[in-house]
Amino acid sequence: MSGRLGDLSPKQADALHQFRERIQDVLCQLPAQHDHFLLRWLRARNFNVQKSEAMLRKHLEFRKQMKVDTIISDWRPPEVIEKYLSGGMCGYDREGSPIWYDVIGPVDPKGLFLSASKQDFIRSKIRDCEMLHVECTVQSEKLGKNVESITMIYDVEGLGLKHLWKPAIETYGEILQMFEDNYPEGLKRLFVIKAPKLFPVAFNLVKHFLSENTRHKICILGGDWQEVLLRHIHADQLPAIYGGKMTDPDGDPRCRTRINHVGPVPPSYYVRDHVSVDYDRCLTVSRGSTQQLDYEILFPGCVLRWQFSSEGADIGFGVFMKGKKGEWKKAAQMEEVLPSQRYNAHLVPEDGSLTCERPGVYVLRFDNTYSIFQAKRISFSVEVLLPDRLKAQRDHGGAQSPKDGQGDHAS
């Protein structure tokens, strides 16, 4: 049985009755009280009444803390989020569910985070969820049937290393967790279109925030993505840029009045010069010397991601490749991958990423050879990001890990 009204087993029907009885004291505080809504919480916890009750009561605390009931009328996102965070609701699928679009490529994660708080991003997504809930209610009344979930389309063309910036990924993970905890069964399906080579790495970073049920609703489409979308969405409800016939009144195929298409955030919006980071390790680079961190990459397509800051003065940094793990070489003897240069990491923390197109030993090298008087203390984090298809191999001992080289090494 599907666990939906009209398709309940006797055990599921009994669980619904018990659930309603146990939450009588808070029923009036919910955004909806009908059985369709209550069944969403039961399905999210496999009809375990006790767990479903705990989930719902925690949600009510969330609504009170975040002032969710008035967030649409009483709160508005900062201008920079309204202008430079992509996405929007546009059209309905063939079953009448609202469609939400996210256009990832042009988004400027660092510019947004330098201009608004993490709380602002989370609240803006709560507001979006509440607006979509209202739209589902309107559609239910209009169509005379229950509409409780949305279709999402993720346009990931242009997804790049800037989108793997650690503070942005961590916040996105918090938003996904918030969605899972407070809007169960709110997603009908998610179509990922125009996915680049980097997408498996990005997906691997966030998929652990998603429940197994949500993962099953994600469809990563290939070259026939327009045909697939049209099987689920009427042409007059699909923007022309995505293979449909919908345009704005002025003929814009991107439907910009409904879907926010963005660009880089102007520095005039910045309210801080960097985002604070918790680093994993520290090392000291003696005056006139270097320190190297070796990472053996066994598979092409992995990503090296780093963040570091220095105390007191600048530090040189570059990325190289060498032949054998554990073997120390000077920079001149290694292949230069990212040219070494001096960074004012004592003023603004430095972060970066590199797609490893070839297997090999990649060397992250901190250079203090130009300083004859001052040692440099470096705080840093380094990660190897695996494509999704390699995760199982890693879990069974078949993927890469940091290897010892010269001096102090990452672990």
Side-chain angles (χ1 to χ4, degrees), residues 306-344:
W306 59 83
Q307 296 173 292
F308 64 86
S309 65
S310 57
E311 293 181 13
D314 64 357
I315 188 70
F317 177 80
V319 181
F320 301 82
M321 278 191 73
K322 66 179 183 180
K324 297 179 181 179
K325 61 184 180 182
E327 176 185 26
W328 191 86
K329 288 184 178 180
K330 295 181 179 179
Q333 300 172 308
M334 296 186 285
E335 178 185 344
E336 187 178 67
V337 179
L338 180 70
S340 186
Q341 65 181 81
R342 290 164 68 170
Y343 292 89
N344 289 320

Side-chain angles (χ1 to χ4, degrees), residues 66-67 70-78 81-82 117 119-128:
M66 303 302 294
K67 300 180 179 179
T70 58
I71 198 168
I72 296 176
S73 59
D74 295 355
W75 185 80
R76 184 172 177 176
I81 290 181
E82 288 191 324
S117 70
Q119 194 77 350
D120 285 331
F121 289 105
I122 293 174
R123 286 176 68 85
S124 71
K125 289 302 180 183
I126 294 172
R127 190 171 186 265
D128 290 341

Side-chain angles (χ1 to χ4, degrees), residues 42 44 48 90 155 251:
L42 286 166
N48 182 307
C90 183
D155 178 351

Side-chain angles (χ1 to χ4, degrees), residues 25-26 28-31 41 55-71 74-75 119 123 126 130 178 182-183:
D25 60 314
V26 295
C28 63
Q29 301 175 34
L30 298 175
W41 303 88
M55 183 184 187
L56 186 140
R57 291 185 183 276
K58 190 173 181 181
H59 169 68
L60 288 174
E61 294 174 9
F62 162 83
R63 296 187 73 87
K64 185 181 298 184
Q65 179 184 357
M66 303 302 294
K67 300 180 179 179
V68 176
D69 290 333
T70 58
I71 198 168
D74 295 355
W75 185 80
Q119 194 77 350
R123 286 176 68 85
I126 294 172
E130 289 298 306
M178 178 275 296
N182 295 284
Y183 298 93

Side-chain angles (χ1 to χ4, degrees), residues 23-248:
I23 61 170
Q24 279 296 318
D25 60 314
V26 295
L27 200 58
C28 63
Q29 301 175 34
L30 298 175
Q33 293 85 42
H34 50 72
D35 287 345
H36 291 292
F37 182 76
L38 299 186
L39 284 167
R40 291 170 59 175
W41 303 88
L42 286 166
R43 290 198 301 273
R45 292 295 180 264
N46 296 316
F47 281 83
N48 182 307
V49 175
Q50 185 175 354
K51 290 182 179 179
S52 299
E53 180 186 357
M55 183 184 187
L56 186 140
R57 291 185 183 276
K58 190 173 181 181
H59 169 68
L60 288 174
E61 294 174 9
F62 162 83
R63 296 187 73 87
K64 185 181 298 184
Q65 179 184 357
M66 303 302 294
K67 300 180 179 179
V68 176
D69 290 333
T70 58
I71 198 168
I72 296 176
S73 59
D74 295 355
W75 185 80
R76 184 172 177 176
E79 181 180 286
V80 67
I81 290 181
E82 288 191 324
K83 286 188 173 181
Y84 294 98
L85 190 62
S86 75
M89 198 203 84
C90 183
Y92 305 90
D93 66 19
R94 289 178 180 265
E95 297 167 326
S97 296
I99 304 171
W100 181 271
Y101 291 80
D102 268 326
V103 187
I104 305 299
V107 175
D108 176 10
K110 185 175 291 187
L112 285 167
F113 274 74
L114 293 176
S115 307
S117 70
K118 180 170 74 172
Q119 194 77 350
D120 285 331
F121 289 105
I122 293 174
R123 286 176 68 85
S124 71
K125 289 302 180 183
I126 294 172
R127 190 171 186 265
D128 290 341
C129 288
E130 289 298 306
M131 292 173 69
L132 286 164
H133 173 75
V134 170
E135 190 64 28
C136 285
T137 301
V138 170
Q139 283 293 96
S140 296
E141 295 173 356
K142 178 181 177 181
L143 301 176
K145 65 177 184 179
N146 183 53
V147 177
E148 63 182 8
S149 57
I150 67 168
T151 290
M152 298 189 73
I153 297 176
Y154 267 40
D155 178 351
V156 292
E157 184 178 28
L159 177 75
L161 294 175
K162 69 177 182 179
H163 299 102
L164 303 188
W165 187 48
K166 191 173 182 179
I169 289 290
E170 289 174 346
T171 299
Y172 187 61
E174 287 187 43
I175 290 170
L176 290 177
Q177 191 65 61
M178 178 275 296
F179 185 80
E180 290 280 1
D181 292 343
N182 295 284
Y183 298 93
E185 297 290 290
L187 177 68
K188 180 192 292 186
R189 62 178 69 89
L190 188 159
F191 294 113
V192 178
I193 62 173
K194 298 187 278 188
K197 290 182 179 179
L198 192 62
F199 178 77
V201 176
F203 183 57
N204 199 35
L205 287 174
V206 300
K207 72 174 188 178
H208 64 280
F209 293 104
L210 304 173
S211 67
E212 184 177 355
N213 189 34
T214 299
R215 291 185 205 179
H216 289 322
K217 297 175 181 178
I218 298 174
C219 308
I220 303 171
L221 305 184
D224 63 343
W225 60 268
Q226 290 188 351
E227 291 85 349
V228 174
L229 292 184
L230 284 168
R231 287 202 291 269
H232 294 272
I233 306 166
H234 288 294
D236 62 355
Q237 293 294 309
L238 183 67
I241 191 67
Y242 295 121
K245 297 179 180 179
M246 180 187 286
T247 64
D248 270 347

